[in-house]
């Protein structure tokens, strides 16, 4: 049992995480240092961190600069990850510092949240290509040292909605696949042409054509729809170091969220964009279908105990060790994601975990549609249409709504996937921001009957 160094608090929509003594493969460490060593590509690391600071300090929808500059730092044995969201919550950014980019120290396990203040930004921005850069991350925060100076940033509060956003981002990005990749010259030309963060939102089909990337008004084979091109503007800080670029998106010809992964020496910088510039990750409701499982909470408790310290979560191994089918493992991971404990790496096509405090109460607190769906089931408002296993009626506030589910979703025990409803929420969002409460109520009822 671990004892936290202080009390976690929630005030004014900001969550102060009391950093726990680190749980590692060798046991509990009371005063952890997650990494202490040198950067093999100091300018890449420095500019990558400043890029994150730029993103988290920018509101891309109706542009407004802010003072927030506080990435989440996670050490995972073979790499370090620095993550943040833009001030508008519509851009997710992650800098992966791979083993090849760090030297002279062992990467341990742990998570903290620090602010990149003006002093740290100045030190990082002045970093030359061949300057020495020593990095230390641990209980005391982030320490960056050069031959000339040392700059320290202490742990700070994490915005509460970042926790909701981390879970939604993981689930959304889990559904994306590799669309195309381009080499260094094409990637640099594309990044150099990006509009500034203050520009008007430009949208279109990002298309690979003859070794280049172009934004076109119409769809063509291999193209990915990208909304709000200006939201990628921060990539210009790492332009000189780019060695390639990969785009992840939804199925062919479908508009939706997009991931841009930029390869750097010893590192990788990934930016995730929501469907539209005005949409934030914290309100996407992507976890609702997985959370609407009668065994999700119980399974999540089991998985949290047996999660290994590998940089990647092997779902097949988890399922085998927990004696659970993989669909239940996925639902349990969704519960862990509500506390920000699970993320998704599209490049590696694997889950990873963060050492953050567990808060199972967030499942209901952050998902009012799920609470409403459970209330509908408890009141007996859900009924299957006689003779039709794919149509259900749900009575809510004196109105009867019709829910249609897909045969393949019923077969997979996930009726909410692809379901349609006659309610105003579905007519407005068409399932694009998570299932409505009526669809969730149908899934809860179906799973209850199946059990």
């Amino acid at each position: 049992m671990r004892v936290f160094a202080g009390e976690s608090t929630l005030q004014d929509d900001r969550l102060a995480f009391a950093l726990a003594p680190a749980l590692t493969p060798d046991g509990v460490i009371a005063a952890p240092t997650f990494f202490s060593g040198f950067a093999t590509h100091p300018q890449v690391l420095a500019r990558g961190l400043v890029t994150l600071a730029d993103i988290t300090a920018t509101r891309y929808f109706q542009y407004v600069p802010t003072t927030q500059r506080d990435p989440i730092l996670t050490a995972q044995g073979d790499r370090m990850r620095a993550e943040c969201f833009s001030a508008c919550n519509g851009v997710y950014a992650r800098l992966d510092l791979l083993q090849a980019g760090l030297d002279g120290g062992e990467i341990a396990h742990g998570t903290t949240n620090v602010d990149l203040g003006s002093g740290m930004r100045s030190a990082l921005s002045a970093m030359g290509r061949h300057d020495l850069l020593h990095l230390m991350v641990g209980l005391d925060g982030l320490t960056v040292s050069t031959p000339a100076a040392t700059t320290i940033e202490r742990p700070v509060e994490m915005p509460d909605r970042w926790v909701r956003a981390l879970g939604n981002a993981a689930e959304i990005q889990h559904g994306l696949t590799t669309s195309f990749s381009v080499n260094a010259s094409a990637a640099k030309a594309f990044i150099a042409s990006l509009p500034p963060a203050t520009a008007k939102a430009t949208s279109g089909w990002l298309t690979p054509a003859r070794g280049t990337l172009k934004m076109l008004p119409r769809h063509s084979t291999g193209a990915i729809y990208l909304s709000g091109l200006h939201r990628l503007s921060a990539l210009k800080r790492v332009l000189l170091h780019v060695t390639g670029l990969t785009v992840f998106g939804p199925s062919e010809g479908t508009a939706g969220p997009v991931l841009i992964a930029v390869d750097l020496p010893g590192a990788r910088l990934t930016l995730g964009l929501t469907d539209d510039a005005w949409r934030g990750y914290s309100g996407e409701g992507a976890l609702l279908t997985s959370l609407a499982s009668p065994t999700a909470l119980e399974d999540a408790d089991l998985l949290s105990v047996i999660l290994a310290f590998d940089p990647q979560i092997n779902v097949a191994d988890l399922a085998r060790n927990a004696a659970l089918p993989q669909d239940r493992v996925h639902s349990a991971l969704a519960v862990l994601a509500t506390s920000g404990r699970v993320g998704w790496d599209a490049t590696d096509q694997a889950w990873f975990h963060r050492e953050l405090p567990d808060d199972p109460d967030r499942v209901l607190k952050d998902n009012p549609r799920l609470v409403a769906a459970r209330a509908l089931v408890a009141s007996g408002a859900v009924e299957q249409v006689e003779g039709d296993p794919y149509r259900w009626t749900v009575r809510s506030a004196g109105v009867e709504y019709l829910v249609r589910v897909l045969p393949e979703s019923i077969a997979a025990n996930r009726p909410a996937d692809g379901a349609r409803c006659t309610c105003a929420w579905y007519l407005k969002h068409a399932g694009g921001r998570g299932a409505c409460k009526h669809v969730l109520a149908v899934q809860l009822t179906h799973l209850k009957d199946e059990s």
Side-chain angles (χ1 to χ4, degrees), residues 351-363:
W351 299 96
F352 63 89
H353 61 89
R354 308 175 187 90
E355 188 66 20
L356 294 180
D358 189 18
D359 185 5
D361 292 340
R362 299 191 73 97
V363 173

Side-chain angles (χ1 to χ4, degrees), residues 113 263 356:
N113 188 202
D263 295 321
L356 294 180

Side-chain angles (χ1 to χ4, degrees), residues 222-239:
I224 287 295
Y225 189 79
L226 195 155
S227 177
L229 186 64
H230 66 297
R231 293 189 286 171
L232 298 175
S233 59
L235 290 176
K236 290 184 178 181
R237 279 204 180 266
V238 296
L239 176 62

Side-chain angles (χ1 to χ4, degrees), residues 408-443:
E408 56 268 30
S409 299
I410 288 288
N413 265 342
R414 288 174 64 90
D417 289 345
R420 297 185 176 186
C421 183
T422 56
C423 71
W425 173 271
Y426 182 85
L427 293 176
K428 181 178 180 180
H429 300 290
R433 304 200 77 182
C436 67
K437 61 183 180 181
H438 312 108
V439 168
L440 291 173
V442 167
Q443 172 154 315

Side-chain angles (χ1 to χ4, degrees), residues 41-299:
H41 303 280
Q43 198 174 66
V44 171
L45 170 57
R47 292 186 178 182
L49 289 175
V50 175
T51 299
L52 296 190
D54 288 344
I55 291 171
T56 197
T58 304
R59 189 181 302 277
Y60 292 95
F61 177 63
Q62 297 177 344
Y63 175 83
V64 177
T66 73
T67 58
Q68 183 173 302
R69 297 183 178 91
D70 43 359
I72 307 162
L73 302 177
T74 300
Q76 295 183 304
D78 76 333
R79 72 195 70 187
M80 289 187 59
R81 303 182 193 268
E83 303 171 274
C84 73
F85 289 93
S86 62
C88 59
N89 213 231
V91 179
Y92 164 82
R94 187 180 73 245
L95 177 67
D96 292 330
L97 304 172
L98 308 177
Q99 188 81 57
L102 298 169
D103 185 33
E106 180 181 354
I107 305 173
H109 300 80
T111 300
T112 188
N113 188 202
V114 300
D115 176 57
L116 297 182
S118 57
M120 180 67 76
R121 281 175 56 89
S122 297
L124 293 173
S125 298
M127 187 64 54
R129 184 183 291 267
H130 302 294
D131 291 346
L132 283 176
L133 175 62
H134 186 273
L135 182 72
M136 186 165 67
V137 184
L139 185 64
D140 293 330
L142 171 67
T143 302
V144 170
S145 301
T146 67
T150 295
T151 306
I152 302 174
E153 294 290 0
R154 303 297 180 186
V156 295
E157 298 173 339
M158 181 189 296
D160 180 58
R161 70 172 180 162
W162 276 27
V163 182
R164 299 194 300 274
L166 285 171
N168 284 325
E171 185 68 14
I172 289 170
Q173 293 163 12
H174 177 250
L176 305 182
T177 57
T178 304
S179 299
F180 53 82
S181 298
V182 296
N183 60 20
S185 60
K188 288 181 177 180
F190 169 67
I191 293 173
S193 69
L194 290 171
T198 55
K200 182 180 179 180
T202 301
S203 301
W205 294 92
L206 185 61
T207 308
R210 298 179 181 179
T212 63
L213 286 178
K214 297 181 179 179
M215 285 287 285
L216 301 177
R218 294 182 178 84
H219 175 259
S220 61
T221 302
I224 287 295
Y225 189 79
L226 195 155
S227 177
L229 186 64
H230 66 297
R231 293 189 286 171
L232 298 175
S233 59
L235 290 176
K236 290 184 178 181
R237 279 204 180 266
V238 296
L239 176 62
L240 295 178
H241 305 285
V242 172
T243 60
L245 182 149
T246 301
V247 177
F248 302 84
S251 57
E252 175 71 23
T254 304
V258 173
L259 272 178
I260 307 289
V262 174
D263 295 321
L264 305 167
R268 183 170 56 245
L269 182 59
T270 302
L271 265 61
L273 308 183
T274 52
D275 292 34
D276 295 294
W278 57 268
R279 289 170 63 165
Y281 277 104
S282 59
E284 289 297 88
L287 297 167
L288 284 167
T289 300
S290 296
L291 294 175
S293 167
T295 61
L297 286 172
E298 179 182 346
D299 293 343

